[in-house]
Amino acid sequence: MKKKWWKESVVYQIYPLSFKDSNGDGIGDLQGIISKLDYLKDLGIDVIWICPIYQSPNHDNGYDISDYRAIMKQFGTMEDFDELLAQAHERGLKIIMDLVINHTSDEHPWFIESRSSLDNPKRDYYIWRKGKNGGPPNNWESYFSGSVWEYDETTEEYYLHLYTKNQPDLNWENENVIRDVEEMVRWWLDKGVDGFRMDAIAHIVKAENLPDAPNPNNLPYVRAYSLFSNLEKVHTLLRDLNDKVLYKYDIMTVGETSGLGPEQALNYIGNERHELNMVFQFEHMLLDSATGGTGKWELTPWNLLDLKNIMSKWQTVLHEKGWNANYLCNHDQPRSVSRFGNDGKYRKESAKMLATFLLTLEGTPYIYQGEEIGMTNPQFQSIHEYRDIETLNYYQQAVESGTPIDTIMEAIWKKSRDNSRTPMQWDDSHAAGFTTGTPWIKVNANYQEVNVQEALKDENSIYHYYRKLIDLRKKHEGLVYGEYKLLLPLDPDLYVYTRKYEEEEFLIIMNFFDRTPVFRLPEELSSLSAELLLSNYHVEKEDLHEITFRAYEARVYKLKSRE
Ligand code: GLC
Ligand code: CA
């Protein structure tokens, strides 16, 4: 297997709005990030992925960009960015940017021109169509509720937006769009950034002629995934971008690609494809949705066998052919400890167990800010405390369609993107030390107990456990490159696998619940002895043959043949 720095790296994702405010306006900023670089360095991470910091009117927290070459005023200036990059590099940390090229803001000069007249040279930078039968050109539903089409009076046509109406989709059929995007990408690379997380990249190509999606249930709009996701031409465009720009730089790329399995993912990341290094897959993020992708708000309990199935499939199919991007949380998802662990009695144990999982899979681990201290979903009582456009749109639409408020709030507590967007909890002072002012979104009520200052002091904290895990991964190539093999596939409580690389072999055992299952060493490993490298509990005797696992207990062993 080819060794690469980005395979050996641990990535830390920053949501700049909520990371650290340096000037008291309640909004996180670049100077805030700079002030925490030493904290990140101490944690042991290698790469920082920063969510969009470009100029934006902020209808979707920076994912609506009005100038790709300027920094959002609230976040600082380009000088601040240059300083951040230099200071990060000085510490041996790399920075990857969020590249949002499926759409721009409706305040981007391209769109302002595009909408101004039918014959404007930029008209074709976006996707414009005439209406059909007095309504929108097709029946596709936007990710954030309602039609993907917005009527524009100036030219009496509709433009397409997969996300909010303030995020018109770029037209990738247009050569000038491609050229302008390439130039912009080159501009950032020449500045010295170390790669990109490519937002919504699976969607940049839409089905030819934009046909209606099948609509057996006669819904007002249909989530037409297959008509705008992972289409063949995306690969041509990504290969071109790579051939013309990316390959010249020693960078890493990770694409956001919903709606695919590992075989299809290899079309993006297969070693011979020359498109992307990694993709974020979504299959494990859909386990607690009743109807898969479209029904994010319809809750259902997830189960461990499904999680094992999905993760094992990705681990095995990609082995030696591609590379996984592993995550349990990000700025679009609820907090991992609230979702896959236990954010009450066993918050610490379960957060460490999930950390063990994240850091011992094959692939590059992505830690989301606050995950390293076990931050939880906030469960705000009133909808007025939520800020996210997707959440607010869902609330309104659900109220209109008669869903009981309790059901709606329950869904929001579990699934809202704001769950992971509350301010980073630095200490137990005002606003968790995030800001001296009023934070743009409320701080989680548990900040006096859950915060970085506490975590640094407590040797047994989640934070210190992350440090140990990261360190372990650095010391053992087998934890980076080793082949994954699932054991006890049908055990409903324990998730067990080995990682084998050359002479090294590791055994990872995790109890995913608060029950107390008994682990018995499988026959195939019985000739080996095991050395415990790390556990989230105090372990008295290391003998592996029969162990009753405690709630959310996790152990990492190194296996050796008995002398
Ligand atoms: C991605 C981002 C999300 C954003 C959307 C539109 O899914 O992660 O936060 O709203 O794209 O850019
Ligand atoms: Ca600020």
Side-chain angles (χ1 to χ4, degrees):
M1 190 183 316
K2 263 219 174 118
K3 294 187 178 172
K4 296 278 182 195
W5 64 260
W6 44 264
K7 293 181 179 174
E8 293 165 18
S9 293
V10 175
V11 182
Y12 186 95
Q13 181 191 351
I14 289 184
Y15 196 65
L17 213 51
S18 302
F19 190 62
K20 174 70 187 164
D21 175 24
S22 72
N23 63 352
D25 65 356
I27 295 172
D29 46 51
L30 298 183
Q31 285 299 333
I33 299 176
I34 292 172
S35 73
K36 296 296 181 187
L37 285 174
D38 286 330
Y39 166 74
L40 296 175
K41 180 71 190 168
D42 284 347
L43 180 56
I45 59 109
D46 308 281
V47 178
I48 301 168
W49 150 29
I50 313 187
C51 285
I53 50 172
Y54 315 90
Q55 186 175 301
S56 162
N58 270 318
H59 291 284
D60 185 21
N61 295 0
Y63 282 93
D64 47 323
I65 297 170
S66 54
D67 185 346
Y68 287 104
R69 288 179 170 84
I71 300 295
M72 193 191 298
K73 273 198 277 308
Q74 296 95 310
F75 287 166
T77 62
M78 194 56 81
E79 285 69 46
D80 293 323
F81 178 79
D82 292 339
E83 184 186 340
L84 169 61
L85 190 62
Q87 293 245 16
H89 284 170
E90 227 167 79
R91 290 167 175 78
L93 299 170
K94 296 187 191 291
I95 292 198
I96 69 169
M97 304 283 283
D98 218 307
L99 187 66
V100 188
I101 50 181
N102 174 71
H103 46 268
T104 69
S105 159
D106 59 345
E107 294 181 31
H108 193 290
W110 295 341
F111 190 74
I112 295 173
E113 281 195 51
S114 182
R115 89 186 325 171
S116 68
S117 73
L118 289 170
D119 56 5
N120 183 282
K122 294 271 189 302
R123 180 66 175 181
D124 199 35
Y125 265 49
Y126 296 85
I127 302 169
W128 292 96
R129 292 290 184 280
K130 288 193 184 5
K132 204 172 71 184
N133 311 326
N138 71 23
N139 64 1
W140 298 1
E141 184 186 42
S142 148
Y143 273 106
F144 297 156
S145 310
S147 171
V148 299
W149 295 99
E150 180 72 10
Y151 182 70
D152 198 53
E153 279 186 347
T154 320
T155 54
E156 300 181 331
E157 285 191 351
Y158 290 79
Y159 65 87
L160 184 146
H161 59 89
L162 292 184
Y163 297 91
T164 74
K165 64 178 196 293
N166 306 100
Q167 293 164 295
D169 281 46
L170 283 165
N171 175 18
W172 281 80
E173 304 293 332
N174 182 328
E175 291 300 322
N176 294 330
V177 167
I178 296 176
R179 188 207 53 215
D180 283 349
V181 169
E182 281 168 4
E183 264 174 34
M184 177 271 286
V185 169
R186 200 176 290 120
W187 188 83
W188 280 100
L189 289 171
D190 287 339
K191 234 182 197 315
V193 305
D194 302 290
F196 297 105
R197 176 263 187 184
M198 299 194 187
D199 184 68
I201 201 70
H203 308 316
I204 59 176
V205 177
K206 281 80 181 170
E208 220 176 316
N209 303 322
L210 311 172
D212 274 329
N215 190 2
N217 301 328
N218 232 339
L219 301 167
Y221 307 106
V222 187
R223 197 60 76 78
Y225 279 121
S226 60
L227 298 172
F228 57 72
S229 307
N230 305 307
L231 297 177
E232 188 45 40
K233 202 178 165 212
V234 175
H235 299 292
T236 318
L237 292 170
L238 285 173
R239 213 167 311 131
D240 285 352
L241 181 63
N242 192 63
D243 287 352
K244 287 196 252 168
V245 187
L246 304 181
Y247 88 96
K248 295 180 189 144
Y249 303 83
D250 182 22
I251 57 168
M252 65 170 262
T253 55
V254 51
E256 187 200 26
T257 55
S258 54
L260 49 65
E263 286 85 7
Q264 225 185 338
L266 287 173
N267 294 337
Y268 288 97
I269 59 174
N271 295 333
E272 305 317 314
R273 298 287 296 189
H274 304 291
E275 295 183 28
L276 298 171
N277 298 139
M278 293 167 262
V279 292
F280 289 124
Q281 59 95 6
F282 279 70
E283 293 193 296
H284 62 316
M285 294 287 122
L286 305 180
L287 285 176
D288 52 6
S289 296
T291 49
T294 53
K296 130 166 199 174
W297 303 104
E298 289 153 48
L299 307 175
T300 196
W302 63 275
N303 90 57
L304 184 63
L305 297 192
D306 292 339
L307 181 68
K308 288 192 206 181
N309 268 335
I310 289 173
M311 300 308 277
S312 301
K313 194 175 67 173
W314 281 86
Q315 291 286 297
T316 43
V317 174
L318 264 50
H319 183 65
E320 287 185 341
K321 299 203 180 85
W323 192 253
N324 272 288
N326 296 315
Y327 71 99
L328 296 173
C329 182
N330 63 37
H331 66 295
D332 293 331
Q333 301 293 339
R335 288 285 176 183
S336 55
V337 69
S338 300
R339 189 182 203 176
F340 296 112
N342 174 318
D343 63 7
K345 182 167 174 206
Y346 294 110
R347 187 183 64 85
K348 286 190 180 167
E349 290 81 359
S350 66
K352 291 178 190 173
M353 182 277 292
L354 292 169
T356 311
F357 184 44
L358 182 65
L359 274 290
T360 60
L361 287 167
E362 184 177 342
T364 299
Y366 290 73
I367 301 169
Y368 178 71
Q369 69 181 42
E371 205 172 10
E372 79 279 21
I373 54 166
M375 279 179 64
T376 65
N377 293 347
Q379 201 163 319
F380 295 143
Q381 291 308 304
S382 154
I383 187 64
H384 302 296
E385 287 165 338
Y386 287 89
R387 298 281 173 270
D388 169 36
I389 183 78
E390 183 194 39
T391 305
L392 302 180
N393 285 357
Y394 159 70
Y395 181 87
Q396 195 188 344
Q397 177 222 297
V399 167
E400 277 163 17
S401 66
T403 313
I405 298 289
D406 287 355
T407 312
I408 301 176
M409 291 311 291
E410 188 72 33
I412 289 175
W413 291 340
K414 286 249 153 67
K415 288 298 192 63
S416 169
R417 304 197 297 180
D418 281 339
N419 283 314
S420 57
R421 296 178 178 185
T422 62
M424 180 73 183
Q425 293 161 210
W426 294 105
D427 58 38
D428 61 4
S429 69
H430 166 79
F434 161 71
T435 180
T436 54
T438 308
W440 69 277
I441 186 170
K442 242 174 79 171
V443 174
N444 190 318
N446 64 12
Y447 73 94
Q448 272 159 345
E449 179 197 339
V450 181
N451 63 62
V452 169
Q453 192 184 41
E454 270 306 305
L456 292 174
K457 277 196 299 218
D458 172 10
E459 234 181 90
N460 288 317
S461 67
I462 302 165
Y463 166 87
H464 283 294
Y465 189 81
Y466 264 90
R467 282 189 66 178
K468 288 180 200 154
L469 267 169
I470 294 173
D471 194 48
L472 211 55
R473 217 174 161 273
K474 297 250 138 85
K475 286 202 184 106
H476 300 282
E477 278 199 313
L479 288 172
V480 175
Y481 293 110
E483 182 168 9
Y484 165 102
K485 185 172 171 218
L486 182 68
L487 302 176
L488 310 181
L490 298 179
D491 192 303
D493 293 311
L494 295 174
Y495 194 152
V496 185
Y497 49 83
T498 52
R499 301 283 313 280
K500 193 174 164 76
Y501 181 70
E502 293 172 354
E503 298 309 302
E504 280 191 324
E505 186 164 13
F506 299 88
L507 171 67
I508 295 100
I509 313 169
M510 293 159 297
N511 178 8
F512 261 74
F513 302 100
D514 58 4
R515 298 181 286 264
T516 49
V518 176
F519 171 81
R520 288 186 185 82
L521 193 67
E523 191 50 40
E524 55 191 296
L525 301 179
S526 59
S527 66
L528 303 172
S529 73
E531 175 200 351
L532 184 71
L533 297 180
L534 188 65
S535 171
N536 58 351
Y537 276 85
H538 177 69
V539 173
E540 284 292 346
K541 78 178 198 330
E542 293 195 5
D543 181 40
L544 247 182
H545 284 268
E546 193 173 301
I547 304 172
T548 302
F549 266 70
R550 290 159 281 190
Y552 299 98
E553 181 164 1
R555 299 187 183 194
V556 182
Y557 286 95
K558 184 161 187 205
L559 299 175
K560 284 185 255 165
S561 28
R562 289 179 195 276
E563 275 94 69

